[in-house]
Amino acid sequence: YFLIPLGATFYWSLRGKKDVLGFEAYRKLFADTNFLPAFSQSIINAVATIFLCLLIVVPTAYWVTLRLPKLRPIVEFIALLPFVIPAVVLVFGIILLYSRPPLLWTATYNSSRVVLICIYVALSFPYMFRSVDNGLRAIDVRTLTEAAQSLGANWPTILFKVIFPNLQVALLSGALLTFAIVIGELTIALYMAQHTLGPYMADLTRSKVYEPSAMAIVAFAITWAAMGIIDFVGRGSSGRKKTAD
């Protein structure tokens, strides 16, 4: 149910040239002047989303684990809210809220892009929080914090030089999941009138025959590469841990 449609899509993408199987559709896709701007904008949005999400989620999850464990259910509920709210409802609510004074943030393309990145940060909360929370549960947060404090480290030093390095795999997993979500997101970017990869692919299906299939394979490849990096780093970390033990 998964490999057969994917194989058929790949086969169709190779038929860009009449009676010849080849990569003509891919050549036309990469030669399209609209592809690179859409792709680069999605990459920048993904990087900004990951950065902001890490700044919000990691200190919050760390503080809840260390000082406020009773608030964990509340924080988990807030982090899971993007799963409950449909994307269409979310984007229409955002547009209504930020399209009138005093919160007029959708008047220009750049300001709308800022709002879009903030929405992506909220959408990535479930994945990032779950990854970070699992990573924090796997280490002795209290002992590491007390040891760092006994050596004179302040809170920023503890967070960035002690906690972050011990959450390497968890942070990478959350970051790459967020990256995959932002790269393939369509609904919100479309209604926010942003020229990202999702709307570009939707426009491509209206005017081209073989290039959309090539674009679908490229999008799958990007997602698989992200998942492969997570698996590779996770296995490497497990191997180093066993060696140390």
Side-chain angles (χ1 to χ4, degrees):
Y1 75 93
F2 179 75
L3 293 178
I4 292 177
L6 185 61
T9 301
F10 179 67
Y11 173 74
W12 186 256
S13 71
L14 298 178
R15 298 184 60 185
K17 194 172 183 178
K18 187 176 181 180
D19 299 329
V20 177
L21 294 180
F23 295 94
E24 180 66 16
Y26 294 88
R27 187 194 67 78
K28 292 181 179 179
L29 174 67
F30 294 129
D32 189 352
T33 56
N34 294 320
F35 171 75
L36 188 58
F39 181 73
S40 60
Q41 187 168 142
S42 293
I43 294 292
I44 295 172
N45 290 348
V47 172
T49 300
I50 292 169
F51 178 76
L52 292 175
C53 199
L54 288 175
L55 288 182
I56 295 173
V57 172
V58 176
T60 302
Y62 168 68
W63 194 252
V64 168
T65 302
L66 183 65
R67 301 292 189 187
L68 303 170
K70 293 183 179 180
L71 291 182
R72 182 187 300 276
I74 298 176
V75 176
E76 287 183 346
F77 174 76
I78 295 173
L80 292 175
L81 277 178
F83 277 152
V84 181
I85 304 174
V88 174
V89 175
L90 178 62
V91 69
F92 273 107
I94 292 294
I95 291 174
L96 289 175
L97 179 63
Y98 292 103
S99 62
R100 62 188 68 178
L103 302 175
L104 187 58
W105 280 30
T106 58
T108 66
Y109 184 84
N110 290 330
S111 62
S112 297
R113 188 177 181 185
V114 173
V115 175
L116 179 69
I117 292 174
C118 293
I119 297 174
Y120 285 160
V121 170
L123 290 178
S124 63
F125 277 167
Y127 310 97
M128 187 67 74
F129 179 80
R130 184 57 58 190
S131 298
V132 172
D133 186 58
N134 290 338
L136 288 172
R137 292 188 180 190
I139 63 177
D140 192 343
V141 175
R142 187 173 298 278
T143 300
L144 288 173
T145 302
E146 291 175 353
Q149 287 178 328
S150 66
L151 295 174
N154 54 24
W155 288 111
T157 302
I158 294 173
L159 189 61
F160 288 102
K161 292 188 177 181
V162 177
I163 301 302
F164 268 81
N166 281 280
L167 295 177
Q168 179 181 356
V169 176
L171 296 181
L172 184 62
S173 298
L176 291 177
L177 286 171
T178 300
F179 177 84
I181 292 169
V182 175
I183 286 293
E185 201 283 321
L186 167 65
T187 305
I188 298 175
L190 186 64
Y191 282 103
M192 295 290 291
Q194 294 291 305
H195 307 308
T196 57
L197 206 57
Y200 169 77
M201 186 174 178
D203 290 338
L204 202 65
T205 59
R206 300 188 185 99
S207 57
K208 305 294 183 180
V209 178
Y210 304 103
E211 286 82 350
S213 298
M215 184 68 249
I217 297 299
V218 171
F220 272 118
I222 294 172
T223 305
W224 288 349
M227 299 302 103
I229 292 173
I230 293 175
D231 183 65
F232 177 77
V233 174
R235 289 183 181 181
S237 177
S238 299
R240 289 193 296 271
K241 184 177 180 181
K242 291 180 181 179
T243 302
D245 294 340

